[in-house]
Amino acid sequence: MKETESEVSLAHSRARHEGPARGRPRSEAVERAIIEGVMKLLEDGVPLGELSIERIARTAGVGKATIYRRWSGKEELFVDVLRAAEPPDPELPGVSMRGDLIVLLESLRQRGLLSRSSAILHNVHAQMKSSPKLWAAYDATVIAPRRLQGYEVLRRGQQNGELRDDIDIELLNDMFVGPMLVRAVLRPETELPEDLAERIVDILLEGLRPAGR
Amino acid sequence: MKETESEVSLAHSRARHEGPARGRPRSEAVERAIIEGVMKLLEDGVPLGELSIERIARTAGVGKATIYRRWSGKEELFVDVLRAAEPPDPELPGVSMRGDLIVLLESLRQRGLLSRSSAILHNVHAQMKSSPKLWAAYDATVIAPRRLQGYEVLRRGQQNGELRDDIDIELLNDMFVGPMLVRAVLRPETELPEDLAERIVDILLEGLRPAGR
Amino acid sequence: MKETESEVSLAHSRARHEGPARGRPRSEAVERAIIEGVMKLLEDGVPLGELSIERIARTAGVGKATIYRRWSGKEELFVDVLRAAEPPDPELPGVSMRGDLIVLLESLRQRGLLSRSSAILHNVHAQMKSSPKLWAAYDATVIAPRRLQGYEVLRRGQQNGELRDDIDIELLNDMFVGPMLVRAVLRPETELPEDLAERIVDILLEGLRPAGR
Amino acid sequence: MKETESEVSLAHSRARHEGPARGRPRSEAVERAIIEGVMKLLEDGVPLGELSIERIARTAGVGKATIYRRWSGKEELFVDVLRAAEPPDPELPGVSMRGDLIVLLESLRQRGLLSRSSAILHNVHAQMKSSPKLWAAYDATVIAPRRLQGYEVLRRGQQNGELRDDIDIELLNDMFVGPMLVRAVLRPETELPEDLAERIVDILLEGLRPAGR
DNA sequence: CAATAAGCGAGACGGTACGTCGAGTCTTGAA
DNA sequence: TTCAAGACTCGACGTACCGTCTCGCTTATTG
C-alpha cells in the first residue's frame, strides 16, 4: 500500500532526481497558496469551466510557471485540491458490525452534504472522472483506504456471525455503499435524510421479504 | 411527461417562432452528420477534451455557425449525442417482480459494458455531470423513464406481496440499482460478472443475516 | 523589377492560393489600423524593445491572430511600417547632373533629419539589419529604386560630358551617397547642415588637390 | 580621453565603491568564459535573437546572477564582446597622406570582410544601433580612436600641401570613409574588391571632372 | 585560525510575451 | 433564410526569458 501511495502522489518538492538539493528549494507556502486559491475560487461559486490556470495563478499571486513546476496541468492540481479538502477518516466504535457500517455510511452522507454546499467536491469529482489516470490517483489516495476500512468491518462481521459468509466481501461492500453513493454522487438533487445510513444497513440485514412471510 | 420532454428538448428545426417558414429550410442531413461526426470521433478514441466545436465542424464538413444555430454549446450537443446512442428500453416479462428487477438490472449491466467498450457514454457522462442544467436534461429524457419503470415494478411487488410495503419506493429502487451503478459508473475498473443482476436482487430479498438466523 | 516587387511584398489579402475568394475577406481597415498603431506607438516615444505584438494588438484594438494572419512576426510587420512611412520619391529637375545629384542627396538628408525626429526610421532600420531576409525585402522595395534613380542621373552625366566615364557607376554612386549616409545613418549624433548636399557634390566634382595645383 | 574610456568601461571587478576588497574576489576566468561563450554561439550561427542571457549562462556553465553582477543586460555585455573581437589598430607608414589614407580604408575593408565571415560584428553591430547609449559606448572605445587617427592624417595632409585646406576635417573624413562604409556596413551584399581603398582615395583627390576639363 | 563576507552554480520566484488554438460572432457569395 | 468558409475579438494554453531571490558551498581577507 505504501508504494501505491507514493506512486500516485502528484506534487512534490523537487521530486525528480532527489539529488543533494541544489538551487533554491521550492516554497511550501506557495504550494499552499495555490491550493487554497483554487478552493477559494470554487467556494466563491466560480464555475469549474472558468478555472483557468491563468486565473488560479492570478488569484494566488503566483506565476504560471510555478504551477506548472508542480503539476502538469489543471487536472493533476485538482487531485491535490480534493485531497486537501478531504475530511478525516471516521473513527469506528468497533462494538458491532452494524454500528460500524452505520458510521461508515453516515460519513459518506456527510461528504455528500458537504460536496453540495461547498461545490468543491461535486464538480471537481465529475471533471476528474474524464481522466482514467487521475481517477486512479484519486481513488488510490482517497477512496481506496475507505473501501479497505469497509472490507475490514465486513470481514469481522462474517467472523463473529453477524453476517452471511457465502458472499464475497467486494459485493457486500457495494451492496452497502451503493445506495448511499447513488444518492450522494450520481443524483445530487435527492435528499439525504438523517436516518438514511441506519435504514440502508437495516434493510440489507433484514432483507426485503414481507414481514409475515 | 410530454411537457418535460419538450422542455428539455435541445435541438429543434427552427424551434423559436415557428413562422410560415421563409427562406431555405434547415437540412436534417446536416443535423445527422454533426451527431454522427461526434460519435465517430469518440469511437476513434479521441479524448473528450480534444473535441472542440471547430474540430467537430471540420469532421462533419460543416460551418461552425451551423452548429451554433442548433445548439448553444458543446454540452447541449452532447446531450443529443447521448440520446442518439441510447439503447432501447428493456422489455419486461411481467411475470414476477424478481424477474422484472433482474431484467432491469441486467440492462444497466449491459449499458455499463457498452460504455466501456465504446467510450462514448462514460466520458460524456462524466463531463455532463459538471453542468447541473445539462444533467437535468439528460436525466429527464434518458434516466427518469427507466427510474419510473423501476418504481412501477416495485409498486406491483408491494401490491402482490412479493415486497415489504413499509419502505418508500424511491429508497427501494436505490437499494437495487445502487450496487450495480456503483460498479458500472463509479468504478469502471471492476468486473461485471454475468450473474451480478440476479445475485444483487436475491441478496436484497433474502437479507444478510446468516442462514441459520 | 515588377517580379522583385511582388516577391518581397509581405502582407497580402489572402495571398496564398488566390482561389475564388471564399469566406469573409480580410479587412483593409484592420490592416491600416495595425500599421498606424505601430506608428503611433513609435511616435509616442515607446522604445522599440517594448513593442510587443501583444501591445500592438491592444493598441490597434485587434486580436493577435489577426496580426499573425498577415505577418509572420514583428520584423515583417516593420517592413510594411517603414514602407508606409516612406516619403515620396524626389522630383528631379533634369537640367544638370550636378543639380540632380544635389536633389538626391538633399532628399537623403531630409530622411536623416526625419528619422531622428520621428524615431521611426532609425530604430526600426537598425533592428531590421539583423535579418538579412528582411533587409533584402526593405532594400528591394524602398532603397533600390532610389539607387537606380541615382544610376540614371550619373549615366546621363557621363553621356553629356559632365562626368568622367572611366569609373563604374556603382562606385560613383557610393562616392556620392556614402558621405551623406555615414552621417545620416551611422552617426546620428552628427549635424546635417543645410548646404551639405551641395558641398559633397562639389567636392567630389572638383577633387581635393589644393587649388593652385 | 582617459576619462571617456573609464566612463564607458562596462565590466569591472567590484567597480562601484572600491572598498578594501572584502569577501571572495570576482573570478576573471568566469568573465572570459562568458565572453568567449557568446562568441562561440555567434560563430556557431546562432541568430542574435536567440541569444538569451539564460542560454549564455548555460553555455558558459555559469549562474545568471554572475552575469548580472558584471553587466546590467545583454547589450552591455555585447559591447565588451565586440571590444574583445576588435582587430588591432593599423600601423601607419607615415610617408604620404595618400598612403596612410589607403591603409586606413584598407583596414575598414578588412573589417567588412571579417564581419561577414564571422557574423559577429555585423549583427551585434546592427543590434547595438538600437540603443543610443550603447552605441555611444562602442563608438567611444572602438570607433572614435580610428576616427581621430583619420583626422590626424588629414590634418598633416593639409599642412604639407597634399590636401585643400578650405574644407573642415570632419567632412573630409566622411568623404573618404563614407564610400567604404556604405559598402561594408550598410550594403553587406556588395563586393569589396582589393583595390577599392586605393580607387576611392584617388578619385577623391583627382575629382570627377572629365580628364580634358 | 576562526570569523566574516562576498562570489559562485543552481534553480525557484512573479512577471511578460510568445505563437497557437478554440470560443462564439460576423460577413462574404452561392444555393 | 441556410450553408461552407473563413475573418474577427477575446482569452487561455504551455513555454521561454526576464531580472531577482534564496539555497548550500567555496574562496579570499581580516581580526
Side-chain angles (χ1 to χ4, degrees), chain D residues 65-134:
Chain D
T66 301
I67 296 182
Y68 284 110
R69 215 171 278 127
R70 284 149 218 271
W71 298 277
S72 78
K74 221 182 315 194
E75 296 76 17
E76 300 209 350
L77 166 54
F78 287 166
V79 175
D80 278 3
V81 170
L82 274 189
R83 235 202 300 257
E86 194 65 16
D89 279 17
E91 293 279 330
L92 298 184
V95 178
S96 70
M97 181 193 77
R98 177 177 174 279
D100 287 354
L101 286 172
I102 290 176
V103 169
L104 286 176
L105 260 62
E106 176 62 15
S107 129
L108 282 182
R109 192 180 75 95
Q110 291 299 338
R111 192 131 61 113
L113 293 172
L114 183 71
S115 83
R116 288 169 203 194
S117 59
S118 78
I120 292 189
L121 289 180
H122 182 59
N123 283 356
V124 182
H125 207 263
Q127 176 83 356
M128 213 166 36
K129 298 255 352 261
S130 305
S131 164
K133 225 182 70 177
L134 291 169

Side-chain angles (χ1 to χ4, degrees), chain C residues 23-24 52-54 64 68 74:
Chain C
R24 176 175 171 178
S52 56
I53 292 272
E54 210 128 77
K64 276 198 289 177
Y68 283 111
K74 225 181 313 195

Side-chain angles (χ1 to χ4, degrees), chain A residues 185-204:
Chain A
V185 177
L186 289 183
R187 240 177 32 241
E189 69 279 2
T190 22
E191 286 181 22
L192 295 176
E194 275 194 32
D195 62 347
L196 187 57
E198 189 172 4
R199 292 181 66 195
I200 289 173
V201 170
D202 286 338
I203 289 172
L204 269 161

Side-chain angles (χ1 to χ4, degrees), chain A residues 1 5 9 12 40 44 47 58 83 88 97 100 139 157 173:
Chain A
M1 208 59 240
E5 257 273 61
S9 172
H12 321 265
K40 187 179 177 313
D44 289 359
R58 226 151 33 218
R83 235 202 300 260
M97 181 195 75
D100 287 354
D139 183 85
N173 192 60

